[in-house]
Amino acid sequence: MAYTKSAAHYDQILIDGVDVSNAFNEFGRTGENETLDATGFSATGNAETVPGTTTAGFTGTVLYGPEIEAILWPLFEDKTICEVAWQPDGLVTLATPFQTHVGNCYLNQLDVTDTKGGVRNATVRFDPADATGINMVTST
Amino acid sequence: MTQHGRFEVVGSFRFRGHEIGEQFEAKVTPQIERAVARRNIVCLELITPRVPDGFRLPRGWLDE
């Protein structure tokens, strides 16, 4: 079977309804299930686990400017819940599109960094704000 | 009645799939209010849905 392989150029990112795709050069969804020990007595002595709490979120690097500041800073400072959606290759039409990751989130990290001579950028992290979490939905 | 509005996308970013310069109608929600405050969109008209004056249900629709 042939598997699709591609470079990341066309990711679509929406934050609070605004298409900020062109302002980001790195974006992704994090996901991890807590590992709970469920080891019982056995002939093998091997450890057993069950998945526990799911921790998920979005992280990214944004090219920081006044327009992005107007969007992100109030979300961070006011601790406002906003919808975040990310679809790899979402800016182009594919025969087999990637799914969209979406969730209601708090912006809990906004680290703005200036390096002399470099492009001004900021690191962001969004964490889920409700029990719905971050879900993968069928892209239209 | 939930307030709705007619909005136009302005500035540098598309909004909820609408292109810059495009007009759309939407329910006024906190997200819409934030977008207006940031000037991602401008409100052209507020619409409050209401039934016409003198509206009556057809005879027999309600047990009176």
Side-chain angles (χ1 to χ4, degrees):
Chain A
M1 177 180 174
Y3 290 95
T4 305
K5 296 163 189 173
S6 57
H9 294 300
Y10 316 114
D11 288 31
Q12 183 174 45
I13 300 149
L14 277 75
I15 295 174
D16 206 22
V18 184
D19 190 334
V20 292
S21 307
N22 190 245
F24 278 81
N25 61 9
E26 184 178 14
F27 202 83
R29 177 234 175 113
T30 60
E32 183 174 352
N33 291 330
E34 182 187 10
T35 302
L36 302 176
D37 180 59
T39 305
F41 294 111
S42 69
T44 61
N46 289 331
E48 303 166 68
T49 65
V50 295
T53 304
T54 299
T55 306
F58 295 104
T59 60
T61 303
V62 62
L63 305 168
Y64 199 73
E67 299 86 359
I68 286 295
E69 181 175 72
I71 296 169
L72 296 184
W73 182 251
L75 296 175
F76 175 75
E77 185 178 45
D78 300 336
K79 299 178 174 60
T80 301
I81 297 175
C82 65
E83 184 181 85
V84 179
W86 170 56
Q87 182 188 9
D89 285 353
L91 296 176
V92 294
T93 303
L94 300 179
T96 308
F98 284 96
Q99 303 306 296
T100 302
H101 302 261
V102 62
N104 293 321
C105 298
Y106 288 109
L107 175 56
N108 283 331
Q109 180 184 7
L110 179 57
D111 295 340
V112 186
T113 303
D114 278 1
T115 303
K116 184 178 177 302
V119 178
R120 182 170 292 120
N121 62 63
T123 301
V124 298
R125 191 189 80 241
F126 293 89
D127 300 314
D130 55 36
T132 307
I134 310 290
N135 293 294
M136 196 164 69
V137 299
T138 303
S139 302
T140 55
Chain B
M1 283 286 184
T2 304
Q3 195 155 52
H4 291 65
R6 195 161 54 87
F7 304 92
E8 181 176 338
V9 182
V10 298
S12 310
F13 300 100
R14 291 183 299 175
F15 184 76
R16 294 207 313 210
H18 299 290
E19 299 292 335
I20 297 168
E22 186 178 335
Q23 294 183 10
F24 64 96
E25 290 184 2
K27 187 168 60 174
V28 177
T29 61
Q31 185 188 59
I32 289 288
E33 291 175 347
R34 287 195 296 271
V36 171
R38 291 189 300 252
R39 286 197 61 80
N40 289 134
I41 61 176
V42 293
C43 180
L44 302 175
E45 180 187 3
L46 284 176
I47 304 165
T48 302
R50 54 190 292 270
V51 296
D53 292 337
F55 175 81
R56 295 286 186 273
L57 288 173
R59 190 181 299 277
W61 274 43
L62 281 180
D63 292 330
E64 294 179 341

